[in-house]
Amino acid sequence: MNLKSSTKTDVNMTELVVEIDAESFEKAVEATYRQQKKNISLPGFRKGKVPRKLVEKTYGENVFYEDAINMLLNIELPAVIAEAALDLVDAPKVELTAVNKEDGATLKVICVTKPEIHIEGYQGIEAPRAEAVVTDEEVDQQIDAMRRRNARMVSVDDRAAEIGDEVTLDFEGFFGDEAFEGGKGENYQLKLGSGQFIPGFEDQVAGHGLEEDFDVTVTFPENYQMEDYAGKEAVFKCRIHEITHEELPELDDEFVKDTSDFDTVDELKADVRKRMEEAAKASVDRAFENAIVEKLVEKIEDPIPHCMFEQRADMLLNQFASQLQSQGVSLDLYLQYTGMEQDALKATYLERAETEVKLRLALEKIAELENLAVTDEEVDAEVEKIAQANSMTAEDVKKHIALDDLRTDLAVTKAMEFVKEKAIATEPKPETEESAEAETADAE
């Protein structure tokens, strides 16, 4: 297989003309015949014993041509593409333009190539960065949440029910004098203030005591799901059998010892603050990086083959399917539940896919421009990290991953760190100002 010409026909598109000489073509046809003859039968011949000439006479001289050409393409086309110095981002499309025994075959190979990226202004990107602040009030809220997780429910018999209590009650609803379907409950547990019932119901239950008969009058919302009830006034006859409320444990050293690895309240608060500050810093770092990424991606104006976005969207969809599978749900079952088509689900990933592809291309180019080389020692260290995380040996990891791709991944990581180091943190805009700008943008 010989490369006769390479012509750039469009942005990110190159057309190769490839020839297969007659001798090579004949060898491929003969090899194809020998592979297939065991399945060929004709009257008067045992299966697998039909001469090639008779097969070609019966089915046509070109009966083995397609498979022979595909055989050669699978073996030799990668070397031809390498000779043309092309970096492909999609499977090449092959068109047979001429073929015969005397001259061999001529092929046109259409290649979609990796785009050449031009990027400037990646140093000194300005992005808002908030301060990672944790207040005393936020620490106290975390401590209170811990107390609530260890709270106990205590029965109340010396007062009326209050918002925040949990009551066990009977109720029956009426439109006028007629009870309506679905309006009755016995020994129903309801937390007052939870909003489980029709607006106004829970507020009217509050203030009543144990074994007291009372009425609650409410009006069903106009948009109520049961149209026959929407907008109607109803009276519920109620009786409370039990009232309980949440009793929080005292915040003292004994509570701390019982519920944590610490001995004192101060130690617990210090640990909570430390963890919250670490989480706040991580959140601020992510937001800062996301803002940088957004501006970096905007700098990519070179045309990018859409197939790269499609491929990344497919990868994201497959990752989602794997996550579902780990939870015991197939993608097909998920699609049935949601009523979505697979193509529609994939389309939801396209915007993210476009951002990720552009970011990757930008960072690869920055790594090249800034000579952010990755050493063999860094590759080996990453291989060892992967091996330990997956209980494998380094040699096993090397058998399962492409080291060149890993080296590129590490260079991309270095480029992202470089861009972040050179970025300029700015004061975040006040929320009211951001909201006003967003409303203006929406109006436009």
Side-chain angles (χ1 to χ4, degrees):
M1 186 174 287
N2 302 309
L3 175 63
K4 299 303 292 182
S5 66
S6 175
T7 307
K8 190 175 180 67
T9 56
D10 201 350
V11 179
N12 307 319
M13 193 79 70
T14 297
E15 183 180 293
L16 307 180
V17 175
V18 176
E19 289 184 351
I20 303 172
D21 62 79
E23 181 180 356
S24 298
F25 184 57
E26 168 56 27
K27 287 180 179 178
V29 172
E30 177 64 19
T32 300
Y33 161 70
R34 291 187 179 280
Q35 284 181 355
Q36 298 180 6
K37 73 174 184 177
K38 62 180 179 293
N39 299 317
I40 300 173
S41 61
L42 285 175
F45 292 90
R46 284 182 298 163
K47 191 174 184 179
K49 299 296 182 180
V50 183
R52 172 183 158 188
K53 287 186 177 180
L54 185 56
V55 177
E56 291 176 336
K57 182 177 179 181
T58 303
Y59 295 106
E61 184 179 77
N62 63 350
V63 63
F64 298 117
Y65 284 6
E66 182 177 351
D67 289 338
I69 290 171
N70 286 334
M71 177 192 297
L72 288 171
L73 286 171
N74 290 334
I75 297 171
E76 300 186 23
L77 186 57
V80 172
I81 291 172
E83 181 184 347
L86 299 180
D87 188 357
L88 272 56
V89 295
D90 200 9
K93 293 184 174 67
V94 180
E95 179 184 335
L96 180 65
T97 56
V99 60
N100 57 66
K101 284 186 175 181
E102 292 74 23
D103 301 320
T106 303
L107 308 169
K108 181 167 65 175
V109 183
I110 300 171
C111 303
V112 182
T113 57
K114 187 173 182 178
E116 178 62 31
I117 298 299
H118 303 84
I119 185 166
E120 297 177 350
Y122 55 84
Q123 294 193 42
I125 290 176
E126 293 187 358
R129 184 184 182 93
E131 288 187 39
V133 177
V134 175
T135 65
D136 291 342
E137 181 182 1
E138 290 169 332
V139 173
D140 290 340
Q141 287 173 354
Q142 286 293 312
I143 299 291
D144 286 342
M146 187 175 176
R147 292 172 66 202
R148 283 194 297 275
R149 289 195 295 272
N150 290 276
R152 64 191 184 99
M153 299 304 293
V154 179
S155 293
V156 175
D157 58 11
D158 59 351
R159 63 169 173 80
E162 299 175 352
I163 296 296
D165 289 341
E166 186 172 287
V167 299
T168 301
L169 78 161
D170 298 339
F171 59 85
E172 185 172 14
F174 293 83
F175 291 138
D177 295 329
E178 185 176 347
F180 57 84
E181 184 179 355
K184 185 174 182 178
E186 294 182 350
N187 292 319
Y188 189 93
Q189 290 186 325
L190 172 65
K191 184 166 184 177
L192 302 183
S194 63
Q196 293 182 47
F197 275 33
I198 302 166
F201 184 97
E202 295 167 26
D203 290 336
Q204 293 180 57
V205 172
H208 294 283
L210 293 173
E211 305 305 332
E212 175 188 347
D213 293 318
F214 60 93
D215 292 347
V216 168
T217 303
V218 294
T219 301
F220 282 90
E222 294 291 343
N223 60 348
Y224 195 67
Q225 63 267 28
M226 299 177 68
E227 294 182 2
D228 291 343
Y229 296 0
K232 285 188 176 181
E233 183 179 270
V235 175
F236 287 85
K237 296 187 176 299
C238 305
R239 172 178 282 194
I240 299 173
H241 297 304
E242 185 179 19
I243 303 170
T244 61
H245 79 99
E246 189 178 64
E247 185 176 89
L248 300 181
E250 288 293 327
L251 180 59
D252 54 24
D253 292 348
E254 288 304 313
F255 168 75
V256 172
K257 290 175 184 177
D258 289 342
T259 57
S260 74
D261 296 328
F262 302 98
D263 295 324
T264 68
V265 173
D266 288 342
E267 288 174 350
L268 176 62
K269 285 189 173 183
D271 179 70
V272 168
R273 178 178 291 279
K274 178 184 175 184
R275 287 186 282 111
M276 291 182 70
E277 286 174 347
E278 289 172 350
K281 183 180 183 304
S283 177
V284 165
D285 289 345
R286 283 194 301 272
F288 183 57
E289 181 172 322
N290 289 341
I292 293 170
V293 165
E294 185 177 342
K295 293 195 173 184
L296 189 60
V297 167
E298 289 174 354
K299 296 181 182 298
I300 302 297
E301 297 181 354
D302 303 280
I304 298 171
H306 194 266
C307 65
M308 296 183 74
F309 305 145
E310 293 278 349
Q311 292 163 8
R312 184 59 188 167
D314 284 333
M315 188 177 297
L316 293 172
L317 179 60
N318 289 338
Q319 289 174 357
F320 177 66
S322 296
Q323 292 172 358
L324 288 175
Q325 197 64 50
S326 68
Q327 299 167 10
V329 179
S330 69
L331 181 61
D332 287 341
L333 187 59
Y334 174 83
L335 293 173
Q336 289 178 27
Y337 285 157
T338 58
M340 292 184 74
E341 297 289 337
Q342 184 163 322
D343 286 346
L345 178 59
K346 175 184 170 181
T348 64
Y349 287 105
L350 275 173
E351 183 176 351
R352 174 182 165 188
E354 181 173 345
T355 296
E356 291 183 0
V357 168
K358 288 182 176 180
L359 176 63
R360 173 81 179 196
L361 292 170
L363 293 175
E364 287 181 4
K365 188 63 178 181
I366 292 169
E368 175 191 329
L369 293 172
E370 298 296 332
N371 297 313
L372 301 177
V374 176
T375 66
D376 292 341
E377 289 76 16
E378 288 172 321
V379 172
D380 289 341
E382 187 65 21
V383 167
E384 188 61 37
K385 189 186 300 182
I386 295 171
Q388 291 179 4
N390 294 277
S391 300
M392 299 169 65
T393 67
E395 291 306 313
D396 285 337
V397 171
K398 289 178 180 180
K399 291 176 184 176
H400 290 87
I401 66 172
L403 293 182
D404 286 344
D405 290 344
L406 178 60
R407 189 181 294 274
T408 302
D409 290 343
L410 294 173
V412 163
T413 300
K414 283 189 174 185
M416 188 69 237
E417 291 303 316
F418 176 86
V419 172
K420 285 196 292 185
E421 288 172 5
K422 299 295 183 181
I424 299 171
T426 61
E427 287 288 330
K429 294 179 180 178
E431 288 188 12
T432 52
E433 184 178 339
E434 289 181 351
S435 300
E437 288 185 359
E439 290 177 5
T440 302
D442 290 341
E444 291 175 354

